[in-house]
Amino acid sequence: MGEIRRIEGTLVGDSYRVRRLRAKGGMSDIFDASHRESGRRVAIKVLPQDKIRHSEYLARLEREGSLLRLAAGSGSVALLDSGECQTYGPYLVMEYLVGRPLDGILISEGPMLLDDALPIFVEVAGCLARLHELRIVHRDIKPANVFITAPTEGAQRAVLLDFGVSTRLAAPDEAHDDPDFDYFAPSVDRLTSRGELLGTIEYMSPEQIMAMHDEVGFESDIFSLGVMMFELLSGDLPYGVDWAHRLQNLHDSVAPRRIDQAVPGVPHELAELVAEMIANRRGDRPSSMRSVHDRLTRIATGLAREPRRPLLEAWFAAKGSNDRKYNRVSYAAPVRMMVNGRGFDGRSEDISERGMLLITRFRLMPGERLSVRFALPLDGWVTQIDAMVRWCREGRERVAVGLLWVDPPAEVTLALRSYVDLIHDPELPAGATQLDAENASR
């Protein structure tokens, strides 16, 4: 991830002012921005500086925009605008989501209860069924690409993200007359040499791993969703995570573990469905994502119990409704840590005026001191704060770390308090705290 760039205040196109860098990856950067006139908050996807003039990455971003336009209303992240500017090159403007990605919830909270997980399974399968009916294959289904919105944003949703390696399969008798979709744009398959992996290895179907592009279709998304369902319920994968081990299992046709072996008490119908979804042979998987959705819906209906509170309600609860002294709210941002002179990268999951929940690949010890560099909410200014590790919880290849600030500057505390209060009360002016509002009303 490297150093966090100071991009706050810059313009994307003529309409969007950047607040901060929200996420950084090898194929794209995501900005937290707002529309200059309406003030609407948006997320903007751009190419990294070293990829702006790379024809393959340009074509992939263009392809992603076309797919998102076609997928509008399906349960995927909404595309609001697109364009190209001199500073950042081509860009996609998407809805701004408040909440947490599923991988962060899994790492920090552990395996999910069935009652919490089933509604998510149903919603994601429904979204994918609608995409498949549009002949769109996502090809990178994993917890990190499913975002759970906060209850404060209305009805809680599971939103599918990142169509960067997605493609659209042409029907044999399809007429190329859809004015809203560029059928002649280069597909991701044609942009990729045979043998290059597209997606995330842990969730890939066997046909994806073998890079058999002509055979990667809707069944591959079914496989990936099945692996994700297994992991959310068990905290583990249905096969060895070691790359050589996985290849050997495929070579020997070793069947993946069953979810009811890993999690006792899983309903038989769900265990059978997951086993079919993660079958090594495509022909042994369910016939369609629509049938997966229908079976999940029947299972959820059959297990219906008392309504549970929204999954993230405790994370976004108002003051006085929980036992925490300081409210914490979702805040996703790249983080740079310095520990004993060594630099590490991670991302924040949530934040309060007293600390941060951090996701990283490096284990830290409770009581350990470190320096944390990240962009502040609201204004995007990059700050550096000393912190102490309160706790550390290891997940699969990731670690959740609870940090406590050590003597934070007063202006940083005020900025974080303002952000937390603004999330709880969107009617507050930006930069005002709840205490300011209460004093003004007296």
Side-chain angles (χ1 to χ4, degrees):
M1 178 158 43
E3 293 301 309
I4 299 173
R5 292 186 296 169
R6 293 201 177 209
I7 48 81
E8 68 278 356
T10 58
L11 291 177
V12 176
D14 295 324
S15 301
Y16 304 95
R17 187 171 299 280
V18 177
R19 294 167 175 256
R20 62 182 177 92
L21 178 66
R22 183 172 185 177
K24 185 172 182 63
M27 294 178 61
S28 64
D29 293 343
I30 307 294
F31 295 156
D32 175 352
S34 57
H35 193 278
R36 293 177 65 188
E37 295 182 2
S38 69
R40 179 176 182 176
R41 202 165 186 181
V42 297
I44 302 180
K45 187 171 191 174
V46 302
L47 295 175
Q49 289 294 321
D50 61 339
K51 303 292 194 303
I52 289 178
R53 304 190 186 283
H54 196 296
S55 59
E56 179 177 327
Y57 287 87
L58 288 167
R60 284 183 179 178
L61 191 69
E62 179 183 354
R63 182 73 175 179
E64 182 174 6
S66 296
L67 291 170
L68 284 174
R69 278 189 287 273
L70 187 64
S74 67
S76 57
V77 63
L79 181 69
L80 306 176
D81 194 3
S82 63
E84 186 168 351
C85 69
Q86 185 173 1
T87 305
Y88 297 108
Y91 60 86
L92 303 177
V93 181
M94 295 169 286
E95 63 176 316
Y96 185 89
L97 299 171
V98 175
R100 299 181 67 194
L102 270 180
D103 67 328
I105 296 173
L106 180 65
I107 296 164
S108 59
E109 299 298 302
M112 297 176 65
L113 297 174
L114 182 62
D115 287 352
D116 288 329
L118 260 179
I120 296 173
F121 297 164
V122 171
E123 196 166 359
V124 174
C127 171
L128 286 169
R130 290 187 289 274
L131 292 177
H132 287 187
E133 287 158 4
L134 295 167
R135 305 200 64 77
I136 296 173
V137 186
H138 187 278
R139 301 208 297 189
D140 199 14
I141 304 301
K142 58 185 178 180
N145 283 340
V146 177
F147 196 91
I148 307 301
T149 62
T152 52
E153 300 298 297
Q156 189 164 281
R157 296 185 294 150
V159 183
L160 192 58
L161 308 177
D162 199 348
F163 285 63
V165 298
S166 302
T167 192
R168 187 175 190 271
L169 304 181
D173 58 348
E174 185 172 51
H176 301 301
D177 57 0
D178 186 340
D180 297 322
F181 189 80
D182 184 2
Y183 291 90
F184 301 100
S187 73
V188 174
D189 288 340
R190 295 202 299 275
L191 293 170
T192 308
S193 60
R194 191 174 184 86
E196 181 183 347
L197 292 174
L198 293 175
T200 304
I201 290 172
E202 294 94 324
Y203 307 92
M204 281 184 180
S205 65
E207 58 268 27
Q208 272 184 291
I209 288 178
M210 303 309 292
M212 297 181 292
H213 294 312
D214 294 340
E215 300 182 22
V216 177
F218 306 124
E219 304 92 344
S220 191
D221 278 354
I222 291 174
F223 181 95
S224 299
L225 177 59
V227 174
M228 188 185 85
M229 290 163 59
F230 190 107
E231 184 182 23
L232 290 178
L233 290 174
S234 70
D236 202 357
L237 296 174
Y239 41 73
V241 297
D242 177 78
W243 176 237
H245 185 200
R246 178 94 195 271
L247 284 178
Q248 187 62 44
N249 282 357
L250 288 178
H251 179 74
D252 295 340
S253 298
V254 176
R257 281 190 300 161
R258 288 178 59 91
I259 185 62
D260 48 1
Q261 294 173 335
V263 184
V266 169
H268 176 74
E269 297 86 351
L270 181 59
E272 286 294 314
L273 176 58
V274 174
E276 292 176 29
M277 293 172 72
I278 60 177
N280 286 328
R281 293 183 65 256
R282 291 185 303 157
D284 293 336
R285 298 174 204 156
S287 59
S288 69
M289 190 64 78
R290 179 59 64 190
S291 71
V292 171
H293 175 258
D294 291 345
R295 289 170 67 178
L296 283 169
T297 301
R298 288 196 296 271
I299 293 169
T301 301
L303 296 176
R305 302 184 179 100
E306 290 295 321
R308 293 178 60 83
R309 67 181 185 178
L311 181 62
L312 298 184
E313 185 177 78
W315 292 85
F316 296 88
K319 283 184 173 67
S321 61
N322 56 69
D323 296 331
R324 294 192 306 271
K325 184 176 180 180
Y326 297 99
N327 274 354
R328 58 185 182 182
V329 298
S330 173
Y331 183 61
V335 174
R336 182 71 171 171
M337 296 163 282
M338 294 297 296
V339 184
N340 298 324
R342 298 178 61 196
F344 302 97
D345 293 323
R347 79 165 193 258
S348 63
E349 277 287 296
D350 66 46
I351 203 165
S352 77
E353 64 181 87
R354 290 298 296 142
M356 171 187 286
L357 171 59
L358 181 71
I359 304 296
T360 183
R361 292 184 180 274
F362 305 96
R363 177 162 174 73
L364 299 169
M365 299 300 294
E368 193 167 6
R369 296 282 291 265
L370 66 155
S371 178
V372 184
R373 188 168 184 261
F374 64 99
L376 286 170
L378 300 179
D379 61 16
W381 282 100
V382 176
T383 188
Q384 187 159 317
I385 313 177
D386 290 335
M388 181 183 72
V389 177
R390 294 185 61 200
W391 55 265
C392 186
R393 182 179 300 124
E394 292 190 61
R396 190 183 56 77
E397 297 190 333
R398 297 289 178 93
V399 178
V401 182
L403 297 180
L404 179 68
W405 306 136
V406 176
D407 298 325
E411 60 271 20
V412 170
T413 298
L414 180 60
L416 295 177
R417 187 183 304 155
S418 297
Y419 174 69
V420 171
D421 286 340
L422 188 62
I423 293 297
H424 285 304
D425 186 357
E427 300 302 319
L428 284 176
T433 67
Q434 187 65 46
L435 182 59
D436 295 331
E438 292 171 357
N439 288 338
S441 66
R442 290 173 184 165

